[in-house]
Amino acid sequence: MTGLAFHIDVSSCSGCKACQLACKDAHGLEAGRLWRRVVEVEGGEWTRKGNAWCSTVFAYTISLSCMHCERPACMTSCPTQAIVKRADGVVAVDGGACIGCRYCGWACPYGAPQFDAATGTMSKCDFCADERDAGRPPACVSACPLRALDWGPIDQLQARHGTLAQLPPLPDGAQTGATVVISPPARMSPLSPDCVQLANDEEILR
């Protein structure tokens, strides 16, 4: 597997949302349409052990966009074959073939495809094709002040950063073959999905 992928270094992400803003600016996305979003995650609790109180409280932010999956649920759900996985691994929408039924948005476990009310079609991260054609990184990667985002062929990213592709509260990356590499928070303890919650769900779940 050599398709393009993002590397997300959660331990370096400050949640500043420069990536999100750069994406919106680069693609002219109106308010409410997000191809990249920064999810704020929190959880844990204080528990008493004898006379001591122990904390498992944690918080982190993770910058998410389309995972350009190996087996994209958006692609298989599209009744007009408007979504394709290209040879470079990028999952793209053919606006000319899309009828705007939104099935892809409902099928994607990451909520990546977004409806464009102006064109009546679906839209999503295309890995900044224009930027890459010009020899530049995707806008989100360029904008990150802490270098928490990187990109490249997934085999090279995995060689440098490992193979983790899931972090609570994301769904199991194996479901669709998420093409992403995640570096977890520096102080990551085993978590059950039950102890993790979104802190900005009203902002990102549209």
Side-chain angles (χ1 to χ4, degrees), residues 92-187:
V93 178
D94 178 354
C98 178
I99 59 174
C101 67
R102 308 191 193 198
Y103 287 175
C104 57
W106 298 329
C108 174
Y110 303 98
Q114 302 276 298
F115 185 69
D116 182 349
T119 63
T121 61
M122 298 303 287
S123 65
K124 61 180 286 303
C125 165
D126 65 354
F127 232 108
C128 278
D130 292 343
E131 291 294 299
R132 290 185 291 113
D133 288 346
R136 296 187 292 264
C140 57
V141 174
S142 296
C144 180
L146 297 177
R147 301 295 178 259
L149 289 175
D150 197 6
W151 71 292
I154 191 167
D155 55 348
Q156 295 181 18
L157 294 177
Q158 289 176 332
R160 292 201 298 268
H161 306 292
T163 59
L164 183 65
Q166 192 271 342
L167 191 70
L170 297 178
D172 185 353
Q175 291 180 3
T176 57
T179 308
V180 65
V181 176
I182 299 173
S183 293
R187 295 179 57 194

Side-chain angles (χ1 to χ4, degrees), residues 11-168:
S11 66
S12 295
C13 180
S14 68
C16 71
K17 302 183 183 177
C19 55
Q20 184 174 304
L21 294 174
C23 176
K24 289 181 70 67
D25 184 54
H27 300 286
L29 304 181
E30 73 280 7
R33 187 156 57 110
L34 297 172
W35 289 1
R36 177 168 289 281
R37 62 192 78 186
V38 176
V39 179
E40 299 171 8
V41 185
E42 63 184 18
E45 60 184 357
W46 285 88
T47 56
R48 186 169 187 169
K49 294 183 178 178
N51 292 327
W53 286 88
C54 301
S55 172
T56 59
V57 173
F58 64 89
Y60 56 84
T61 54
I62 180 169
S63 173
L64 301 174
S65 67
C66 174
M67 299 295 183
H68 300 283
C69 301
E70 291 179 60
R71 302 175 299 283
C74 59
M75 186 173 74
T76 56
S77 69
C78 179
T80 62
Q81 289 78 53
I83 298 179
V84 297
K85 187 166 178 65
R86 303 189 322 206
D88 61 2
V90 174
V91 176
V93 178
D94 178 354
C98 178
I99 59 174
C101 67
R102 308 191 193 198
Y103 287 175
C104 57
W106 298 329
C108 174
Y110 303 98
Q114 302 276 298
F115 185 69
D116 182 349
T119 63
T121 61
M122 298 303 287
S123 65
K124 61 180 286 303
C125 165
D126 65 354
F127 232 108
C128 278
D130 292 343
E131 291 294 299
R132 290 185 291 113
D133 288 346
R136 296 187 292 264
C140 57
V141 174
S142 296
C144 180
L146 297 177
R147 301 295 178 259
L149 289 175
D150 197 6
W151 71 292
I154 191 167
D155 55 348
Q156 295 181 18
L157 294 177
Q158 289 176 332
R160 292 201 298 268
H161 306 292
T163 59
L164 183 65
Q166 192 271 342
L167 191 70

